[in-house]
């Protein structure tokens, strides 16, 4: 009986519903799913507006940019919040089903902790919760993304000494100041990894007359993108379609021109951090001199971003270990301590 109960509890999950990637953590097992937050839809062109889900996650990503007219690959959370509720709901249900045990009679996890971006509205939070309930969960708790990131990065969130986390995802950059287990300050801006990709493809089109896809722009960012001249990473050959004659063409681009192109977008991230420092109560802001700032999320992997932040804030800035996993780990820890550390959770939403 005890074993059965334990098995039941251990199927509880935590979900990092990111704009770029969705990760699922299972109690006792760790991270068991890590897939792009993407959905491939068959679009009904008959004017009925019908859409059928063809693939979700990794399977949908491989179709990106290569689909025939009637298939569309969408990122339902693209702008940091739910851009397309129906598709988001289907995606959540799909991932929950995918990790649910087939053997247990009641296969849907009874308890689910899901993280939500700080900037999401009450309606959006309710919608995320409802989607998980509709998938069969008995209990759903929400946790703010910045709080999850801080827990996952190993920050002393319970301590009265404040710490700052900056989570740079695909759609949003979340800035949070945490003290005594709560978020003292939270802000979310819609400038993050996707914006950097956009800026890169605009630059390549304007400067070199070459059209490139989203995937190429992201590849450029990862390979030669950098936020600081001290982390220059040479050159790269890219392929695309010429805007002049429409023919495929390859060119060589440099790390320094990409850095220049990224400047304004990165400056907006820096401003969000400076604003957080300005709006945090003085005693807590003073704590940051010792505790510094920790960067999480995939965007934290941009070369030299920590140096740029260090130079602009004069604080000690570090990149968390496995930045792409921090939020999922943090959600998971909140799940594991559901009974004793309720303070993390976003109870009134
Ligand atoms: N090595 C890298 N350099 C720069 N950006 C990266 C790197 N690896 C991943 N990213 C970016 O991180 C973002 C995804 O991060 P993630 O934390 O998973 O986002 P989200 O939480 O919104 O799903 C994407 O914009 C991706 O391009
Ligand atoms: Mg995230």
């Amino acid at each position: 009986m005890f074993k059965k109960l334990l098995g039941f509890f251990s199927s509880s999950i935590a979900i990092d519903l990111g704009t770029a990637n969705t990760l699922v953590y299972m109690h006792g097992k760790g991270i068991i799913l890590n897939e792009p937050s993407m959905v491939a839809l068959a679009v009904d062109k008959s004017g009925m507006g019908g859409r059928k889900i063809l693939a979700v996650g990794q399977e949908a990503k491989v179709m990106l940019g290569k689909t025939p007219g009637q298939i569309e690959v969408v990122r339902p959370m693209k702008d940091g919040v739910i851009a397309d509720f129906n598709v988001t709901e289907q995606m959540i249900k799909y991932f929950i089903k995918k990790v649910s045990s087939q053997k247990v009679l009641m296969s849907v996890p009874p308890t689910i902790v899901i993280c939500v971006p700080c900037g999401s509205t009450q309606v959006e939070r309710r919608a995320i919760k409802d989607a998980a309930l509709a998938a069969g969960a008995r209990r759903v708790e929400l946790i703010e993304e910045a709080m999850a990131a801080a827990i996952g990065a190993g920050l002393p969130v319970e301590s009265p000494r404040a710490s700052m986390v900056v989570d740079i995802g695909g759609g949003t950059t979340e800035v949070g100041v945490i003290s005594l287990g709560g978020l003292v300050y939270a802000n979310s801006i819609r400038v993050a990894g996707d914006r950097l990709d956009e800026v890169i493809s605009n630059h390549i089109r304007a400067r070199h007359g070459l059209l490139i896809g989203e995937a190429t722009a992201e590849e450029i960012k990862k390979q030669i993108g950098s936020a600081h001249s001290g982390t220059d990473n040479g050159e790269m050959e890219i392929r695309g379609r010429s805007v002049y004659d429409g023919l495929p063409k390859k060119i060589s681009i440099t790390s320094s021109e990409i850095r220049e192109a990224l400047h304004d977008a990165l400056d907006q991230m820096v401003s969000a951090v400076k604003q957080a420092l300005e709006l945090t109560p003085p005693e807590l802001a003073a704590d940051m001199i010792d505790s510094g700032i920790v960067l999480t999320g995939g965007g934290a992997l941009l070369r030299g971003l920590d140096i740029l932040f260090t130079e602009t804030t004069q604080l000690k800035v570090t990149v968390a270990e496995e930045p792409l996993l921090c939020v999922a780990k943090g959600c998971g820890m909140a799940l594991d301590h559901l009974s004793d550390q309720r303070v993390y959770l976003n109870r009134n939403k």
Side-chain angles (χ1 to χ4, degrees), residues 30 75 81 91 135-136 181-182 187 239 274 293:
R75 286 177 48 195
V81 283
M91 189 176 76
N187 189 20
R239 288 146 199 262
K274 284 188 173 166
I293 302 174

Side-chain angles (χ1 to χ4, degrees), residues 16-23 34-35 37 75 77-78 80 145 167-172 192-197 218-219 221-223 225 296-303 323-325 327:
D16 164 11
L17 191 62
T19 62
N21 301 296
T22 297
L23 285 76
N34 184 352
E35 298 203 31
S37 309
R75 286 177 48 195
M77 313 268 307
K78 188 164 184 183
E145 204 166 6
D167 180 73
I168 306 153
T172 59
D194 293 338
R195 174 66 66 82
L196 303 185
D197 300 348
E218 188 183 15
E219 203 43 47
K221 174 180 70 178
K222 290 185 183 174
Q223 252 195 54
T296 65
L301 291 167
L302 181 72
R303 257 175 227 92
L324 280 157
L325 307 185
V327 170

Side-chain angles (χ1 to χ4, degrees), residues 17-295:
L17 191 62
T19 62
N21 301 296
T22 297
L23 285 76
V24 178
Y25 170 102
M26 186 174 275
H27 180 75
K29 290 204 173 134
I31 293 166
I32 52 168
L33 180 141
N34 184 352
E35 298 203 31
S37 309
M38 286 185 188
V39 179
L41 301 164
V43 186
D44 179 1
K45 292 253 164 86
S46 65
M48 306 287 284
R51 293 185 302 176
K52 193 171 152 261
I53 292 189
L54 295 178
V56 181
Q58 195 54 46
E59 280 175 37
K61 186 170 187 174
V62 293
M63 298 183 182
L64 190 68
K66 296 183 177 165
T67 53
Q70 66 277 24
I71 300 177
E72 196 187 352
V73 178
V74 296
R75 286 177 48 195
M77 313 268 307
K78 188 164 184 183
D79 297 311
V81 283
I82 302 185
D84 187 328
F85 177 65
N86 279 332
V87 178
T88 304
E89 183 179 306
Q90 296 304 319
M91 189 176 76
I92 295 176
K93 285 186 184 166
Y94 174 89
F95 286 134
I96 291 175
K97 227 171 134 196
K98 190 162 181 184
V99 301
S100 300
S101 161
Q102 306 299 314
K103 290 177 228 126
V104 193
L105 193 61
M106 156 93 195
S107 65
V108 170
T111 303
I112 303 184
V113 171
I114 306 185
C115 83
V116 288
C118 304
S120 55
T121 63
Q122 295 297 330
V123 174
E124 287 162 341
R125 286 169 195 226
R126 188 69 234 174
I128 291 177
K129 208 166 179 170
D130 286 348
L133 288 170
R138 266 190 289 137
R139 174 177 173 196
V140 180
E141 300 286 352
L142 302 181
I143 178 168
E144 307 257 6
E145 204 166 6
M147 175 57 93
I151 299 171
L155 292 180
V157 295
E158 311 260 15
S159 146
R161 178 186 278 185
S163 39
M164 182 185 276
V165 66
V166 181
D167 180 73
I168 306 153
T172 59
T173 294
E174 314 262 324
V175 184
V177 176
I178 290 115
S179 166
L180 291 170
L183 269 171
V184 185
Y185 173 91
N187 189 20
S188 166
I189 59 164
R190 295 186 183 190
V191 178
D194 293 338
R195 174 66 66 82
L196 303 185
D197 300 348
E198 226 175 273
V199 162
I200 290 173
S201 64
N202 290 344
H203 164 83
I204 304 284
R205 191 177 56 230
R207 172 85 63 90
H208 302 282
L210 198 71
L211 295 172
I212 56 169
E214 266 175 59
T216 306
E218 188 183 15
E219 203 43 47
I220 295 171
K221 174 180 70 178
K222 290 185 183 174
Q223 252 195 54
I224 59 167
S226 92
H228 190 269
S229 56
T231 54
D232 195 277
N233 204 32
E235 292 186 7
M236 176 180 176
E237 190 176 85
I238 58 162
R239 288 146 199 262
R241 183 156 54 86
S242 164
V243 291
Y244 306 116
D245 54 16
L247 296 175
K249 192 177 152 194
K250 63 182 185 191
I251 59 163
S252 177
I253 52 169
T254 66
S255 185
S256 74
E257 69 174 276
I258 297 300
R259 187 164 53 253
E260 242 170 69
L262 295 179
H263 180 272
D264 289 356
L266 295 177
D267 200 44
Q268 290 187 53
M269 293 182 197
V270 169
S271 298
V273 172
K274 284 188 173 166
Q275 194 186 15
L277 291 167
E278 271 167 35
L279 296 178
T280 303
E283 283 80 17
L284 298 181
D287 288 347
M288 249 75 85
I289 295 172
D290 294 323
S291 58
I293 302 174
V294 172
L295 308 181

